Amino acid sequence: MIRSKQRDLTKAQMMTLPTPRGRLTLNRSLADLTWLRVGGAADAVFQPVDRQDLAEFLAQLPQENAIFPMGVGSNLIVRDGGLRAVVIRLGRGFNAIEMDGDRIHCGAAALDSHVARKAAEAGLDLTFLRTIPGTLGGALKMNAGCYGSYIADAFVGASGYDRAGRAVSYDAKTLGFSYRSSDLPQDVVITDITLRALGRDEPERLHQKMAAQLAKRDETQPTKDRTAGSTFRNPAGFSSTGQADDIHDLKAWSLIDAAGCRGLELGGAQMSPKHPNFLINTGRATAKDLEALGELVRKKVYDKSGLTLEWEVMRVGDPKDD
């Protein structure tokens, strides 16, 4: 019966979805598209070949079909019941990186690390992006930051398409950046972003700086495990600066540690023994395990400190029926 319903759903979707030039896959599992390797299927995943293909698809897609723009899934938990939406996933054709003076024009699918490296080759400082996982589009949405610098500090402008396939553009004022967030609407697909370098230096010095950042990250974070980066936002309202005078009292990792949650396990999920603000899939976790452990940690931290941790990892989709 379940299989029959699944086939009927697929036929209905095939009758209503547009026929784009790009790749459209129905009932696509998202587990292998996220860093945590968990989650059910999306109604469909669309990978446009270019901007016109994307705009036409959005314009023709029935309004009752929700969309969900997705990068490389580095900051995402998809629940086990899947996602009732058409996932828009940009790839080749949306990852170009070009320099123009002190400005860096990027496709939204460009990896943060690649942007940092390409900028450094031109003597432009965007080194804070080097250790931030994911794509520039995702970094824009959450105003990603590291070592005291944020996307908002370098942001010039962005453009893309709204749910109806109409071209839209944004500047810093309209995006309303704040700590780990922006006012970018969920149903807008950003395709292009322009940043301004935070400084200039010799390429060799910039690469050395990034190498030191990577070494420090590998020393302090579980980079070889299945994680989605930092799990919770810092109640302090800012990211780690990496400086000797950095304050840790209101950092999420410190609060989690004080609440006795370093290494805490639930099912196949674990809070990293190496860095307690990293949620790990030990290899057999479900999305339910991961989210439940996160909620348990939030409760323990509140009971200990009176502070409520806010999720930094995005959680989307439906739980699976037991």
Side-chain angles (χ1 to χ4, degrees), residues 23-46:
R23 184 175 181 180
L24 180 63
T25 307
L26 304 181
N27 297 301
R28 172 68 159 91
S29 172
L30 298 179
D32 61 341
L33 298 182
T34 68
W35 283 26
L36 281 167
R37 294 294 189 266
V38 297
D43 287 343
V45 173
F46 173 48

Side-chain angles (χ1 to χ4, degrees), residues 76 102 110 136 147-148 185 204 211 287 297:
L76 184 66
D102 68 344
L136 199 59
Y147 301 119
E204 183 177 356
V297 169

